[in-house]
């Protein structure tokens, strides 16, 4: 049986970890290096580091902070934000990333997924998608959830997996930061289209939300930020609870 993963997410802006609701109302939370060290000690299975304004500001990712974060942890690190070229992949991998998350860069140039997979391996390429319902249809959004591309998100997920993305991160803008549970309708729709691991993001508010998530086939990991940052729930306690619910966890 495949072990399910719990993944805290560091959304970094101007060198600080921040958190919002529905991708808005951003508030300062903590120092990313200190938080990374804390989650490594807590037993997180992986860590995600997003430079959340790199794409919209049209700049490269903050590599100095990334190096410091990578030096503090001994778990897989996924990094995203401003990834537009193979050179960007190379730069963050050399800073200590294990996987590279691409979002807006792949929308601008869909060939980037396949070219990166060919050069670095499928397992290194993570396609992150910011998705919101528009007139009842799942639309793909770009630039940190600010821009509706008009692209059908389910078709984009299937295309990304076929192109070589080894993992999909499904960020629901509708449930982000609301803490009323993951967007299971969206997640089921994506999982039905692909054969690669799916990471659920957006909506975790309590341990029961993760238990409900892992009853859905095709969902390999739960990613969350606010519930962990605010110490509402420890990763250790969550994993022990999930194991008690019959979910295969690494403790």
């Amino acid at each position: 049986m495949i072990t399910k993963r719990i993944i805290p997410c560091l959304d970094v802006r101007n060198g600080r970890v921040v958190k919002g609701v529905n991708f808005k109302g951003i508030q300062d939370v903590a120092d990313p290096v200190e938080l990374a060290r804390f989650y490594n000690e807590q037993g997180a299975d992986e860590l995600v580091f997003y430079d959340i304004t790199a794409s919209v500001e049209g700049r490269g990712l903050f590599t100095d902070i990334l190096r410091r974060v990578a030096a503090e942890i001994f778990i897989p690190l996924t990094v995203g934000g401003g990834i537009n070229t193979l050179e960007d992949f190379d730069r963050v991998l050399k800073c200590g990333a294990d996987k590279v998350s691409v979002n807006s860069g792949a929308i601008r140039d869909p060939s980037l997924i396949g070219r990166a997979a060919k050069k670095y391996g499928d397992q290194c390429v993570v396609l992150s998608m910011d998705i919101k319902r528009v007139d009842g249809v799942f639309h793909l959004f770009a630039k940190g959830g600010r821009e509706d591309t008009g692209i059908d998100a389910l078709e984009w997920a299937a295309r990304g997996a076929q192109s070589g993305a080894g993992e999909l991160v499904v960020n629901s803008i509708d449930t982000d930061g609301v803490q009323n549970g993951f967007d299971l309708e969206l997640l089921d729709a994506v999982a039905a289209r692909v054969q690669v691991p799916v990471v659920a993001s957006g909506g975790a508010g309590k341990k029961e939300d993760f238990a409900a998530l892992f009853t859905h086939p095709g969902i390999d990991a739960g990613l969350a930020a606010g519930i962990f940052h605010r110490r509402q729930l420890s990763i250790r306690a969550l994993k022990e609870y999930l194991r008690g619910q019959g979910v295969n966890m690494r403790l």
Side-chain angles (χ1 to χ4, degrees), residues 12-128:
V12 179
R13 184 179 72 173
N14 299 325
R16 297 284 295 177
V17 176
V18 296
K19 188 70 186 84
V21 176
N22 303 129
F23 283 37
K24 298 176 182 177
I26 304 299
Q27 297 180 339
D28 183 89
V29 175
D31 174 74
V33 179
E34 292 178 4
L35 209 50
R37 184 188 305 123
F38 172 74
Y39 287 136
N40 183 78
E41 294 168 351
Q42 275 270 303
D45 295 296
E46 298 184 16
L47 186 68
V48 168
F49 178 110
Y50 287 142
D51 186 335
I52 62 171
T53 55
S55 289
V56 73
E57 293 173 3
R59 59 166 172 79
L61 185 142
F62 290 127
T63 53
D64 55 337
I65 299 171
L66 173 56
R67 284 193 183 91
R68 290 167 56 209
V69 166
E72 291 291 335
I73 65 174
F74 302 95
I75 53 178
L77 174 64
T78 298
V79 176
I83 305 298
N84 297 294
T85 65
L86 290 182
E87 289 72 26
D88 291 330
F89 269 80
D90 197 59
R91 186 161 48 90
V92 298
L93 289 169
K94 286 178 178 174
C95 287
D98 298 283
K99 295 186 276 189
V100 181
S101 177
V102 61
N103 188 331
S104 295
I107 296 170
R108 279 189 292 272
D109 178 11
S111 74
L112 179 60
I113 299 170
R115 290 187 289 117
K118 184 176 181 180
K119 184 170 183 179
Y120 301 107
D122 293 8
Q123 79 290 339
C124 181
V125 182
V126 177
L127 178 60
S128 179

Side-chain angles (χ1 to χ4, degrees), residues 103 107 128-132 138-142 147-153 156:
N103 188 331
I107 296 170
S128 179
M129 300 172 291
D130 298 329
I131 301 171
K132 185 177 181 179
F138 294 121
H139 277 208
L140 182 71
F141 277 65
E147 179 182 294
D148 183 0
T149 66
I151 297 171
D152 183 297
W156 178 250

